[in-house]
Amino acid sequence: MTRRVLILGGTSGIAVATARLYAAEGAVIGLVGRDAARLAEVAADLTARGATAVPVFTLDLASEAEPAARLAEMRDAMGGLDDVLLAYGLMVPQAEDERDPATARRTLDVNFTSAALWALAAAALIEAQGRGSLIVIGSVAGDRGRRKNFVYGAAKAGIAALMEGIAHRFGRPGAPPGIRAVLVKPGPTRTAMTAGMDRTGGGWAEPEEVARIIRRAADTNRRWGGPIVYAPGRWRLIMLIIRHLPARIFNRLDI
């Protein structure tokens, strides 16, 4: 049976790497984003890699007022829907968020408010049809507020709480067994979003590594496990340590 996956934010580095895994399986892959030219490039690449079809939906996800209606339209255009991957986001330097309220609002609106509304709409659609996976890309930045990115981190912390709640709802007794909600928390990853950072050192991951974890998460029944997956997995232990550092030690760290 042909898999049908809708990717919200289909031009991000991690999204493209994940889409290529689906393409190799012959999936129908719906791409959603603002940049029509870039979407067309990604669609052509995925078709060449084996995707059965790659419908493109040009849309500003952060400005959409009717996520539920739009999702239904895209599902119908794709002939059904199995997986929804929410992969879009915005990260600006912390100093800009602190200096300019409009910039901070945009960071929060894109990474939390908008993402939350799309996630809620996707969860409702998946639950109504009784099958499917909702996978949202979060960030380890949401695990503890750090002076280098706490506005962005606050939005990601909010999404983590939301996804835990959706997963809790999906896991209740009597819920359809074929539905799942997973938050994938990447550590630092070499994508366009992090292009201005110092990306040397062993803590960085490639988009393809994160993509493999996302693809597995879509198929893993986490009803009896946690709704959060770290990518790569070593970040679960790293962030466990960081979350439990006493403030007197944590405050000395330049992280």
Side-chain angles (χ1 to χ4, degrees), residues 176-237:
I179 60 176
R180 43 187 81 86
V182 183
L183 178 75
V184 177
K185 289 186 176 184
T189 306
R190 293 184 178 94
T191 65
M193 182 180 283
T194 60
M197 300 180 182
D198 178 4
R199 303 194 295 191
T200 58
W204 287 82
E206 299 298 331
E208 292 76 14
E209 183 179 8
V210 176
R212 289 191 292 270
I213 294 169
I214 291 171
R215 182 65 192 89
R216 287 196 301 270
D219 286 341
T220 302
N221 189 341
R222 298 191 173 274
R223 179 178 293 275
W224 306 116
I228 294 175
V229 176
Y230 285 81
R234 62 180 176 270
W235 282 98
R236 181 177 294 277
L237 176 59

Short mmCIF file of all heavy atoms in Angstrom, two decimals, residues 176-237:
data_model
loop_
_atom_site.label_atom_id
_atom_site.label_comp_id
_atom_site.label_asym_id
_atom_site.label_seq_id
_atom_site.Cartn_x
_atom_site.Cartn_y
_atom_site.Cartn_z
N PRO A 176 -8.04 4.63 19.24
CA PRO A 176 -7.63 3.77 18.13
C PRO A 176 -6.16 3.38 18.28
O PRO A 176 -5.31 4.24 18.53
CB PRO A 176 -7.84 4.65 16.89
CG PRO A 176 -8.87 5.65 17.31
CD PRO A 176 -8.62 5.91 18.76
N PRO A 177 -5.83 2.10 18.14
CA PRO A 177 -4.44 1.66 18.35
C PRO A 177 -3.49 2.08 17.24
O PRO A 177 -2.28 2.01 17.41
CB PRO A 177 -4.56 0.14 18.42
CG PRO A 177 -5.79 -0.18 17.61
CD PRO A 177 -6.73 0.96 17.85
N GLY A 178 -4.02 2.53 16.11
CA GLY A 178 -3.16 2.84 14.98
C GLY A 178 -2.75 4.29 14.87
O GLY A 178 -2.28 4.73 13.82
N ILE A 179 -2.93 5.07 15.94
CA ILE A 179 -2.56 6.49 15.90
C ILE A 179 -1.38 6.72 16.82
O ILE A 179 -1.26 6.09 17.86
CB ILE A 179 -3.74 7.40 16.27
CG1 ILE A 179 -4.24 7.12 17.68
CG2 ILE A 179 -4.87 7.24 15.26
CD1 ILE A 179 -5.35 8.06 18.16
N ARG A 180 -0.50 7.64 16.44
CA ARG A 180 0.66 7.93 17.26
C ARG A 180 1.08 9.39 17.10
O ARG A 180 0.88 9.98 16.03
CB ARG A 180 1.83 6.99 16.95
CG ARG A 180 2.07 6.73 15.50
CD ARG A 180 3.14 5.65 15.28
NE ARG A 180 2.65 4.31 15.41
CZ ARG A 180 2.09 3.61 14.41
NH1 ARG A 180 1.90 4.15 13.24
NH2 ARG A 180 1.71 2.37 14.60
N ALA A 181 1.62 9.94 18.15
CA ALA A 181 2.12 11.31 18.14
C ALA A 181 3.50 11.31 18.77
O ALA A 181 3.67 10.81 19.88
CB ALA A 181 1.18 12.24 18.92
N VAL A 182 4.47 11.84 18.06
CA VAL A 182 5.85 11.80 18.51
C VAL A 182 6.50 13.16 18.31
O VAL A 182 6.35 13.78 17.25
CB VAL A 182 6.66 10.74 17.74
CG1 VAL A 182 8.08 10.65 18.28
CG2 VAL A 182 5.99 9.37 17.79
N LEU A 183 7.22 13.61 19.31
CA LEU A 183 8.05 14.81 19.19
C LEU A 183 9.49 14.35 19.04
O LEU A 183 10.01 13.63 19.90
CB LEU A 183 7.92 15.69 20.43
CG LEU A 183 8.78 16.95 20.41
CD1 LEU A 183 8.20 17.99 19.46
CD2 LEU A 183 8.93 17.53 21.81
N VAL A 184 10.14 14.76 17.96
CA VAL A 184 11.55 14.45 17.75
C VAL A 184 12.36 15.68 18.10
O VAL A 184 12.13 16.76 17.56
CB VAL A 184 11.82 14.01 16.30
CG1 VAL A 184 13.32 13.77 16.10
CG2 VAL A 184 11.01 12.76 15.96
N LYS A 185 13.30 15.53 19.03
CA LYS A 185 14.13 16.64 19.49
C LYS A 185 15.55 16.49 18.96
O LYS A 185 16.37 15.78 19.55
CB LYS A 185 14.17 16.68 21.02
CG LYS A 185 12.88 17.10 21.70
CD LYS A 185 13.12 17.25 23.19
CE LYS A 185 11.89 17.77 23.91
NZ LYS A 185 12.15 18.00 25.36
N PRO A 186 15.87 17.15 17.86
CA PRO A 186 17.25 17.10 17.39
C PRO A 186 18.16 17.95 18.27
O PRO A 186 17.76 18.97 18.82
CB PRO A 186 17.18 17.68 15.97
CG PRO A 186 15.72 17.70 15.62
CD PRO A 186 15.00 17.87 16.93
N GLY A 187 19.42 17.51 18.35
CA GLY A 187 20.46 18.37 18.87
C GLY A 187 20.93 19.27 17.73
O GLY A 187 20.29 19.34 16.67
N PRO A 188 22.02 19.98 17.91
CA PRO A 188 22.53 20.85 16.84
C PRO A 188 22.74 20.07 15.55
O PRO A 188 23.37 19.01 15.54
CB PRO A 188 23.86 21.36 17.41
CG PRO A 188 23.70 21.26 18.89
CD PRO A 188 22.86 20.05 19.13
N THR A 189 22.20 20.59 14.45
CA THR A 189 22.23 19.89 13.17
C THR A 189 22.70 20.85 12.08
O THR A 189 22.33 22.03 12.08
CB THR A 189 20.82 19.36 12.82
OG1 THR A 189 20.34 18.56 13.92
CG2 THR A 189 20.86 18.49 11.56
N ARG A 190 23.49 20.34 11.17
CA ARG A 190 24.04 21.18 10.10
C ARG A 190 23.00 21.42 9.01
O ARG A 190 22.91 20.67 8.04
CB ARG A 190 25.30 20.54 9.53
CG ARG A 190 26.47 20.49 10.52
CD ARG A 190 27.73 19.94 9.89
NE ARG A 190 28.85 19.93 10.83
CZ ARG A 190 29.18 18.88 11.59
NH1 ARG A 190 28.48 17.75 11.50
NH2 ARG A 190 30.21 18.95 12.42
N THR A 191 22.22 22.46 9.19
CA THR A 191 21.20 22.86 8.22
C THR A 191 21.34 24.36 7.97
O THR A 191 22.15 25.04 8.60
CB THR A 191 19.78 22.57 8.74
OG1 THR A 191 19.54 23.39 9.90
CG2 THR A 191 19.61 21.10 9.13
N ALA A 192 20.49 24.87 7.07
CA ALA A 192 20.53 26.30 6.78
C ALA A 192 20.22 27.13 8.02
O ALA A 192 20.72 28.26 8.18
CB ALA A 192 19.55 26.63 5.66
N MET A 193 19.41 26.61 8.93
CA MET A 193 19.04 27.36 10.13
C MET A 193 20.25 27.65 11.00
O MET A 193 20.29 28.65 11.72
CB MET A 193 17.98 26.58 10.92
CG MET A 193 17.49 27.28 12.17
SD MET A 193 16.25 26.33 13.09
CE MET A 193 14.80 26.62 12.07
N THR A 194 21.24 26.78 10.97
CA THR A 194 22.41 26.94 11.84
C THR A 194 23.64 27.39 11.06
O THR A 194 24.77 27.29 11.56
CB THR A 194 22.73 25.62 12.57
OG1 THR A 194 23.00 24.59 11.60
CG2 THR A 194 21.56 25.19 13.43
N ALA A 195 23.44 27.89 9.85
CA ALA A 195 24.57 28.21 8.97
C ALA A 195 25.51 29.24 9.55
O ALA A 195 26.72 29.23 9.28
CB ALA A 195 24.06 28.69 7.61
N GLY A 196 25.02 30.15 10.38
CA GLY A 196 25.87 31.19 10.92
C GLY A 196 26.60 30.83 12.19
O GLY A 196 27.32 31.65 12.77
N MET A 197 26.44 29.59 12.65
CA MET A 197 27.05 29.17 13.91
C MET A 197 28.38 28.46 13.66
O MET A 197 28.67 28.02 12.55
CB MET A 197 26.09 28.22 14.65
CG MET A 197 24.76 28.81 14.99
SD MET A 197 23.74 27.58 15.86
CE MET A 197 22.23 28.52 16.09
N ASP A 198 29.14 28.33 14.73
CA ASP A 198 30.35 27.52 14.68
C ASP A 198 29.92 26.05 14.75
O ASP A 198 29.47 25.57 15.79
CB ASP A 198 31.26 27.86 15.86
CG ASP A 198 32.53 27.00 15.88
OD1 ASP A 198 32.73 26.20 14.94
OD2 ASP A 198 33.30 27.12 16.84
N ARG A 199 30.05 25.34 13.63
CA ARG A 199 29.52 23.98 13.56
C ARG A 199 30.63 22.93 13.60
O ARG A 199 30.45 21.82 13.14
CB ARG A 199 28.66 23.82 12.31
CG ARG A 199 27.52 24.82 12.27
CD ARG A 199 26.47 24.50 11.26
NE ARG A 199 26.92 24.55 9.89
CZ ARG A 199 26.11 24.51 8.82
NH1 ARG A 199 24.79 24.42 9.01
NH2 ARG A 199 26.58 24.56 7.60
N THR A 200 31.77 23.30 14.18
CA THR A 200 32.83 22.32 14.38
C THR A 200 32.56 21.56 15.67
O THR A 200 31.76 21.97 16.51
CB THR A 200 34.19 23.01 14.46
OG1 THR A 200 34.17 23.98 15.52
CG2 THR A 200 34.50 23.74 13.15
N GLY A 201 33.21 20.46 15.83
CA GLY A 201 33.04 19.68 17.05
C GLY A 201 32.15 18.47 16.84
O GLY A 201 31.41 18.38 15.86
N GLY A 202 32.23 17.55 17.76
CA GLY A 202 31.54 16.28 17.61
C GLY A 202 30.08 16.29 18.01
O GLY A 202 29.40 15.27 17.89
N GLY A 203 29.57 17.41 18.50
CA GLY A 203 28.18 17.44 18.94
C GLY A 203 27.16 17.64 17.84
O GLY A 203 25.96 17.57 18.08
N TRP A 204 27.65 17.91 16.63
CA TRP A 204 26.75 18.23 15.52
C TRP A 204 26.35 16.98 14.75
O TRP A 204 27.13 16.04 14.60
CB TRP A 204 27.42 19.23 14.59
CG TRP A 204 27.50 20.59 15.18
CD1 TRP A 204 28.44 21.04 16.05
CD2 TRP A 204 26.59 21.67 14.98
NE1 TRP A 204 28.18 22.34 16.41
CE2 TRP A 204 27.05 22.76 15.77
CE3 TRP A 204 25.44 21.83 14.20
CZ2 TRP A 204 26.39 23.98 15.80
CZ3 TRP A 204 24.79 23.05 14.24
CH2 TRP A 204 25.25 24.10 15.03
N ALA A 205 25.10 16.98 14.27
CA ALA A 205 24.59 15.87 13.47
C ALA A 205 24.32 16.35 12.05
O ALA A 205 24.15 17.55 11.80
CB ALA A 205 23.31 15.31 14.08
N GLU A 206 24.26 15.41 11.13
CA GLU A 206 23.87 15.70 9.75
C GLU A 206 22.37 15.49 9.60
O GLU A 206 21.77 14.68 10.32
CB GLU A 206 24.63 14.80 8.77
CG GLU A 206 26.13 14.98 8.79
CD GLU A 206 26.57 16.38 8.41
OE1 GLU A 206 25.86 17.03 7.62
OE2 GLU A 206 27.64 16.81 8.89
N PRO A 207 21.73 16.22 8.68
CA PRO A 207 20.28 16.05 8.49
C PRO A 207 19.88 14.61 8.20
O PRO A 207 18.81 14.16 8.65
CB PRO A 207 19.98 16.96 7.29
CG PRO A 207 21.08 17.96 7.28
CD PRO A 207 22.29 17.26 7.79
N GLU A 208 20.70 13.88 7.50
CA GLU A 208 20.36 12.51 7.15
C GLU A 208 20.27 11.60 8.38
O GLU A 208 19.44 10.69 8.43
CB GLU A 208 21.40 11.94 6.16
CG GLU A 208 21.39 12.60 4.79
CD GLU A 208 22.03 13.98 4.76
OE1 GLU A 208 22.74 14.34 5.74
OE2 GLU A 208 21.83 14.70 3.76
N GLU A 209 21.12 11.87 9.37
CA GLU A 209 21.07 11.10 10.61
C GLU A 209 19.77 11.35 11.35
O GLU A 209 19.12 10.43 11.84
CB GLU A 209 22.28 11.45 11.48
CG GLU A 209 22.39 10.67 12.76
CD GLU A 209 23.61 11.03 13.58
OE1 GLU A 209 24.31 12.01 13.22
OE2 GLU A 209 23.86 10.36 14.60
N VAL A 210 19.39 12.61 11.45
CA VAL A 210 18.14 12.96 12.11
C VAL A 210 16.94 12.40 11.32
O VAL A 210 15.97 11.91 11.90
CB VAL A 210 18.02 14.49 12.26
CG1 VAL A 210 16.68 14.88 12.85
CG2 VAL A 210 19.16 15.03 13.12
N ALA A 211 17.03 12.45 10.00
CA ALA A 211 15.93 11.97 9.15
C ALA A 211 15.66 10.49 9.38
O ALA A 211 14.49 10.06 9.41
CB ALA A 211 16.27 12.21 7.68
N ARG A 212 16.69 9.70 9.54
CA ARG A 212 16.48 8.26 9.77
C ARG A 212 15.72 8.02 11.08
O ARG A 212 14.88 7.12 11.17
CB ARG A 212 17.83 7.53 9.79
CG ARG A 212 18.48 7.43 8.41
CD ARG A 212 19.67 6.49 8.42
NE ARG A 212 20.79 7.01 9.21
CZ ARG A 212 21.75 7.77 8.71
NH1 ARG A 212 21.73 8.13 7.44
NH2 ARG A 212 22.74 8.18 9.49
N ILE A 213 16.01 8.84 12.08
CA ILE A 213 15.31 8.71 13.37
C ILE A 213 13.86 9.12 13.21
O ILE A 213 12.94 8.48 13.75
CB ILE A 213 16.03 9.55 14.43
CG1 ILE A 213 17.43 8.97 14.69
CG2 ILE A 213 15.23 9.62 15.73
CD1 ILE A 213 18.34 9.85 15.52
N ILE A 214 13.61 10.19 12.47
CA ILE A 214 12.23 10.63 12.23
C ILE A 214 11.44 9.55 11.49
O ILE A 214 10.30 9.25 11.86
CB ILE A 214 12.23 11.94 11.42
CG1 ILE A 214 12.78 13.09 12.27
CG2 ILE A 214 10.82 12.28 10.92
CD1 ILE A 214 13.01 14.37 11.49
N ARG A 215 12.06 8.98 10.49
CA ARG A 215 11.35 7.95 9.70
C ARG A 215 10.98 6.76 10.56
O ARG A 215 9.88 6.21 10.44
CB ARG A 215 12.21 7.53 8.49
CG ARG A 215 11.53 6.51 7.58
CD ARG A 215 10.31 7.09 6.92
NE ARG A 215 9.49 6.06 6.29
CZ ARG A 215 8.53 5.40 6.89
NH1 ARG A 215 8.26 5.63 8.18
NH2 ARG A 215 7.82 4.50 6.23
N ARG A 216 11.89 6.35 11.44
CA ARG A 216 11.58 5.23 12.34
C ARG A 216 10.47 5.62 13.31
O ARG A 216 9.60 4.80 13.64
CB ARG A 216 12.82 4.80 13.11
CG ARG A 216 13.86 4.07 12.29
CD ARG A 216 14.85 3.33 13.18
NE ARG A 216 15.57 4.23 14.07
CZ ARG A 216 16.72 4.82 13.77
NH1 ARG A 216 17.27 4.63 12.57
NH2 ARG A 216 17.33 5.60 14.64
N ALA A 217 10.49 6.87 13.77
CA ALA A 217 9.48 7.31 14.74
C ALA A 217 8.08 7.23 14.17
O ALA A 217 7.11 6.97 14.90
CB ALA A 217 9.79 8.74 15.19
N ALA A 218 7.94 7.42 12.87
CA ALA A 218 6.61 7.37 12.25
C ALA A 218 6.01 5.98 12.32
O ALA A 218 4.79 5.83 12.31
CB ALA A 218 6.70 7.82 10.80
N ASP A 219 6.85 4.95 12.40
CA ASP A 219 6.38 3.57 12.39
C ASP A 219 6.39 2.91 13.75
O ASP A 219 5.94 1.79 13.90
CB ASP A 219 7.23 2.73 11.44
CG ASP A 219 6.94 3.02 9.98
OD1 ASP A 219 5.86 3.58 9.70
OD2 ASP A 219 7.78 2.69 9.13
N THR A 220 6.95 3.57 14.75
CA THR A 220 7.09 2.96 16.06
C THR A 220 5.86 3.24 16.91
O THR A 220 5.50 4.40 17.12
CB THR A 220 8.34 3.49 16.79
OG1 THR A 220 9.49 3.22 15.97
CG2 THR A 220 8.51 2.82 18.13
N ASN A 221 5.23 2.19 17.39
CA ASN A 221 4.06 2.37 18.25
C ASN A 221 4.54 2.75 19.65
O ASN A 221 5.09 1.93 20.38
CB ASN A 221 3.22 1.10 18.31
CG ASN A 221 1.90 1.33 19.02
OD1 ASN A 221 1.73 2.31 19.76
ND2 ASN A 221 0.95 0.47 18.80
N ARG A 222 4.33 4.00 20.02
CA ARG A 222 4.82 4.50 21.31
C ARG A 222 3.72 4.60 22.35
O ARG A 222 3.81 5.35 23.30
CB ARG A 222 5.52 5.85 21.11
CG ARG A 222 6.71 5.69 20.20
CD ARG A 222 7.60 6.92 20.16
NE ARG A 222 8.79 6.60 19.40
CZ ARG A 222 9.87 6.02 19.91
NH1 ARG A 222 9.91 5.75 21.19
NH2 ARG A 222 10.90 5.74 19.15
N ARG A 223 2.65 3.84 22.14
CA ARG A 223 1.56 3.86 23.13
C ARG A 223 2.09 3.51 24.51
O ARG A 223 1.67 4.07 25.52
CB ARG A 223 0.48 2.87 22.70
CG ARG A 223 -0.68 2.79 23.67
CD ARG A 223 -1.74 1.84 23.16
NE ARG A 223 -2.38 2.35 21.96
CZ ARG A 223 -3.41 3.19 21.97
NH1 ARG A 223 -3.88 3.63 23.11
NH2 ARG A 223 -3.94 3.61 20.86
N TRP A 224 3.04 2.58 24.58
CA TRP A 224 3.56 2.16 25.88
C TRP A 224 4.94 2.75 26.16
O TRP A 224 5.59 2.40 27.12
CB TRP A 224 3.61 0.63 25.94
CG TRP A 224 2.29 0.02 25.62
CD1 TRP A 224 1.97 -0.77 24.56
CD2 TRP A 224 1.06 0.18 26.33
NE1 TRP A 224 0.66 -1.11 24.56
CE2 TRP A 224 0.07 -0.55 25.64
CE3 TRP A 224 0.70 0.88 27.49
CZ2 TRP A 224 -1.26 -0.60 26.07
CZ3 TRP A 224 -0.62 0.82 27.91
CH2 TRP A 224 -1.58 0.09 27.21
N GLY A 225 5.39 3.64 25.31
CA GLY A 225 6.67 4.29 25.53
C GLY A 225 6.48 5.79 25.62
O GLY A 225 5.38 6.31 25.71
N GLY A 226 7.60 6.51 25.61
CA GLY A 226 7.52 7.97 25.71
C GLY A 226 7.23 8.60 24.38
O GLY A 226 7.57 8.05 23.33
N PRO A 227 6.62 9.77 24.39
CA PRO A 227 6.28 10.45 23.14
C PRO A 227 7.43 11.31 22.60
O PRO A 227 7.25 12.00 21.62
CB PRO A 227 5.10 11.34 23.54
CG PRO A 227 5.41 11.69 24.98
CD PRO A 227 6.06 10.47 25.57
N ILE A 228 8.59 11.26 23.26
CA ILE A 228 9.71 12.12 22.86
C ILE A 228 10.90 11.26 22.43
O ILE A 228 11.29 10.33 23.13
CB ILE A 228 10.11 13.05 24.00
CG1 ILE A 228 8.97 14.05 24.30
CG2 ILE A 228 11.40 13.81 23.68
CD1 ILE A 228 9.22 14.94 25.48
N VAL A 229 11.45 11.61 21.28
CA VAL A 229 12.61 10.92 20.74
C VAL A 229 13.72 11.95 20.54
O VAL A 229 13.48 12.99 19.92
CB VAL A 229 12.28 10.23 19.40
CG1 VAL A 229 13.51 9.60 18.79
CG2 VAL A 229 11.17 9.20 19.58
N TYR A 230 14.90 11.67 21.05
CA TYR A 230 16.03 12.55 20.84
C TYR A 230 16.81 12.10 19.60
O TYR A 230 16.92 10.91 19.32
CB TYR A 230 16.94 12.56 22.06
CG TYR A 230 16.38 13.34 23.22
CD1 TYR A 230 15.42 12.78 24.06
CD2 TYR A 230 16.77 14.66 23.47
CE1 TYR A 230 14.88 13.50 25.12
CE2 TYR A 230 16.24 15.38 24.52
CZ TYR A 230 15.30 14.80 25.34
OH TYR A 230 14.75 15.51 26.39
N ALA A 231 17.35 13.09 18.88
CA ALA A 231 18.04 12.78 17.64
C ALA A 231 19.33 13.59 17.54
O ALA A 231 19.25 14.82 17.39
CB ALA A 231 17.13 13.08 16.44
N PRO A 232 20.47 12.91 17.60
CA PRO A 232 20.71 11.50 17.92
C PRO A 232 20.37 11.19 19.38
O PRO A 232 20.21 12.09 20.20
CB PRO A 232 22.20 11.32 17.65
CG PRO A 232 22.61 12.47 16.79
CD PRO A 232 21.72 13.60 17.24
N GLY A 233 20.31 9.89 19.68
CA GLY A 233 19.86 9.45 20.99
C GLY A 233 20.71 9.90 22.15
O GLY A 233 20.23 9.99 23.28
N ARG A 234 22.00 10.21 21.89
CA ARG A 234 22.88 10.63 22.99
C ARG A 234 22.39 11.90 23.68
O ARG A 234 22.73 12.15 24.83
CB ARG A 234 24.30 10.87 22.47
CG ARG A 234 24.44 11.97 21.44
CD ARG A 234 25.88 12.15 20.98
NE ARG A 234 26.03 13.15 19.91
CZ ARG A 234 25.96 12.87 18.62
NH1 ARG A 234 25.73 11.61 18.23
NH2 ARG A 234 26.11 13.81 17.71
N TRP A 235 21.55 12.68 22.97
CA TRP A 235 21.07 13.94 23.55
C TRP A 235 20.10 13.71 24.70
O TRP A 235 19.90 14.60 25.53
CB TRP A 235 20.47 14.83 22.48
CG TRP A 235 21.55 15.50 21.70
CD1 TRP A 235 22.07 15.12 20.50
CD2 TRP A 235 22.30 16.64 22.11
NE1 TRP A 235 23.09 15.96 20.13
CE2 TRP A 235 23.26 16.91 21.10
CE3 TRP A 235 22.26 17.48 23.22
CZ2 TRP A 235 24.15 17.97 21.19
CZ3 TRP A 235 23.14 18.54 23.31
CH2 TRP A 235 24.08 18.77 22.29
N ARG A 236 19.51 12.54 24.78
CA ARG A 236 18.64 12.26 25.93
C ARG A 236 19.45 12.31 27.23
O ARG A 236 19.03 12.93 28.22
CB ARG A 236 17.96 10.90 25.78
CG ARG A 236 17.00 10.56 26.93
CD ARG A 236 16.31 9.23 26.69
NE ARG A 236 15.42 9.29 25.55
CZ ARG A 236 14.17 9.76 25.58
NH1 ARG A 236 13.67 10.21 26.73
NH2 ARG A 236 13.43 9.76 24.51
N LEU A 237 20.62 11.68 27.23
CA LEU A 237 21.46 11.69 28.43
C LEU A 237 22.06 13.07 28.66
O LEU A 237 22.10 13.55 29.80
CB LEU A 237 22.57 10.64 28.28
CG LEU A 237 23.59 10.59 29.42
CD1 LEU A 237 22.90 10.29 30.75
CD2 LEU A 237 24.66 9.53 29.13
#
